Amino acid sequence: MKYRISSFDINFNFLSMNKLALLLIVCTLFCFQNTGKCETPQSSELKIMTIGDSNGTFEYSWPKQLAKLIPNSTIVNRSISGNTIGFDNNGREDLNTLKNILRYLDEAYQEIGSNNNFDYILINLGTNDTKVVFNERQDEVYANFVTLIGAIKKYLTKNQKSGTKIGFITPAPMDEEKAKKEKYGGGDERIQKNNEHFKLLAAKHDVLFINTYDALKVDFSSKTSDGVHLNESAQLQMAEEIVKQLY
C-alpha cells in the first residue's frame, strides 16, 4: 500500500514544529525571568571560586544561590565577614584579602584537586573598604584592586592554571537611612564612585565586570533590614545577575 503525503501536510507539520519550538523558548525565558528557578543545561557545569565579605557568608548568600541556579557546578566559597580588598579592617590582617589571597587560592585548589582548574574566580568586595574609617583612603582602594588582580594572575601563571576568568562583582548598594551612620555614613556614594573606577580598571586588566548594583538599587529598602546586608530575595537577584554574565 502506498501513502501519499501532500505538500499541505508537510507545510502544516513544519509550521507546527516551529510554533512548538518557539513556545518552548518563550516558556523557558518566562520561567527564568519571573522565578529564577529554571535549571541550566547539564553541559553548563562550572567550577567557581568566590571571594567575598559578609554578604557571601549566609545560608542564603549569593554563592549558595549560585549553587542552586547552576546545580551541577562546584562552588568553593572564601567569603569572610568584614573582608576588604586591601585594608586591615578593625586592625585585623586576616580581613585583608590582599594579604591572604595566596592562602585562599591554595586552599581552594586543594579543595577541587590540584589537577583541576576554576572556570571563574569571582570577587565581591568593596563594601567594607568604604567604611567611614577609610573615607580618606579611597584612592588606595583602586591601587589595592589592581594589586589583587595582579597577584591572582601571577598565581595562575605560576601554577599553570590557564583558562580561568577573573570576575569582579560590584558591591551592593547601601540604604543610608538604615545603615549605622557612624560606621557607614556616606558609604553608598563612595560605593557608586568606586564602582565607576572598578569598571575602568576591570576593562584595563581583562577582568569580567559584573554590575549587580544597578539591579539591586531598585526598591533597595525592601532588600535589606540593616542597610548593608542583603535579604534572601536580594541574594537570589544578585546571583541571577551574575549567572547572566557567565554564559
Side-chain angles (χ1 to χ4, degrees), residues 10 24 61 69 76 79 86 107 130 139 142 152 160 162-163 178 205 209 213 220 228-229 233 245:
I10 294 174
L24 288 172
S61 66
L69 293 174
V76 177
S79 295
E107 292 174 351
T130 62
D139 286 346
Y142 318 135
I152 295 174
Q160 299 179 323
S162 60
K178 294 180 180 179
H205 295 277
F209 181 77
Y213 180 96
F220 185 66
V228 177
H229 298 102
S233 62
Q245 301 301 316

Side-chain angles (χ1 to χ4, degrees), residues 109-155:
Y109 275 102
Q110 287 175 10
E111 190 165 331
I112 65 168
S114 58
N115 293 327
N116 292 315
N117 195 17
F118 288 106
D119 297 290
Y120 291 98
I121 296 176
L122 300 180
I123 304 166
N124 176 229
L125 294 169
T127 297
N128 291 305
D129 300 74
T130 62
K131 289 169 64 175
V132 172
V133 68
F134 301 126
N135 183 36
E136 302 300 323
R137 301 177 61 185
Q138 291 303 287
D139 286 346
E140 294 179 46
V141 176
Y142 318 135
N144 290 337
F145 175 93
V146 173
T147 304
L148 178 61
I149 297 303
I152 295 174
K153 288 185 174 182
K154 184 176 180 181
Y155 179 97

Side-chain angles (χ1 to χ4, degrees), residues 84-87 98 125-126 129-130 134-150 168 171 186-202 204-205 207 209:
T84 70
I85 296 173
F87 291 140
L98 191 53
L125 294 169
D129 300 74
T130 62
F134 301 126
N135 183 36
E136 302 300 323
R137 301 177 61 185
Q138 291 303 287
D139 286 346
E140 294 179 46
V141 176
Y142 318 135
N144 290 337
F145 175 93
V146 173
T147 304
L148 178 61
I149 297 303
F168 183 81
D188 191 63
E189 183 178 351
R190 289 190 287 275
I191 285 174
Q192 292 183 59
K193 181 179 179 181
N194 288 352
N195 283 345
E196 293 176 2
H197 284 274
F198 292 146
K199 183 177 182 178
L200 295 174
L201 292 172
K204 183 177 180 179
H205 295 277
V207 171
F209 181 77

Side-chain angles (χ1 to χ4, degrees), residues 50-246:
T50 58
I51 303 172
D53 49 31
S54 54
N55 266 317
T57 62
F58 303 112
E59 280 302 313
Y60 52 82
S61 66
W62 63 269
K64 296 283 188 180
Q65 301 296 342
L66 279 182
K68 292 178 181 179
L69 293 174
I70 39 178
N72 296 310
S73 295
T74 300
I75 311 289
V76 177
N77 187 17
R78 287 296 177 273
S79 295
I80 301 174
S81 181
N83 227 3
T84 70
I85 296 173
F87 291 140
D88 292 351
N89 193 14
N90 298 322
R92 293 171 52 182
E93 291 189 358
D94 61 314
L95 298 180
N96 185 327
T97 299
L98 191 53
K99 291 183 178 180
N100 293 278
I101 188 60
L102 299 183
R103 175 172 60 82
Y104 292 171
L105 292 165
D106 279 341
E107 292 174 351
Y109 275 102
Q110 287 175 10
E111 190 165 331
I112 65 168
S114 58
N115 293 327
N116 292 315
N117 195 17
F118 288 106
D119 297 290
Y120 291 98
I121 296 176
L122 300 180
I123 304 166
N124 176 229
L125 294 169
T127 297
N128 291 305
D129 300 74
T130 62
K131 289 169 64 175
V132 172
V133 68
F134 301 126
N135 183 36
E136 302 300 323
R137 301 177 61 185
Q138 291 303 287
D139 286 346
E140 294 179 46
V141 176
Y142 318 135
N144 290 337
F145 175 93
V146 173
T147 304
L148 178 61
I149 297 303
I152 295 174
K153 288 185 174 182
K154 184 176 180 181
Y155 179 97
L156 295 174
T157 300
K158 179 181 178 181
N159 291 277
Q160 299 179 323
K161 301 296 184 182
S162 60
T164 300
K165 184 68 176 178
I166 302 172
F168 183 81
I169 305 161
T170 55
M174 281 188 191
D175 186 334
E176 296 282 356
E177 296 299 318
K178 294 180 180 179
K180 295 180 179 179
K181 288 180 172 54
E182 66 275 14
K183 187 175 183 180
Y184 295 109
D188 191 63
E189 183 178 351
R190 289 190 287 275
I191 285 174
Q192 292 183 59
K193 181 179 179 181
N194 288 352
N195 283 345
E196 293 176 2
H197 284 274
F198 292 146
K199 183 177 182 178
L200 295 174
L201 292 172
K204 183 177 180 179
H205 295 277
D206 190 29
V207 171
L208 177 63
F209 181 77
I210 304 176
N211 178 12
T212 61
Y213 180 96
D214 289 348
L216 289 171
K217 184 67 172 177
V218 179
D219 193 26
F220 185 66
S221 181
S222 67
K223 301 173 184 178
T224 178
S225 60
D226 63 5
V228 177
H229 298 102
L230 304 177
N231 59 29
E232 185 170 359
S233 62
Q235 296 276 3
L236 173 59
Q237 183 184 16
M238 181 175 174
E240 289 173 343
E241 293 297 317
I242 295 169
V243 169
K244 290 177 185 178
Q245 301 301 316
L246 301 186

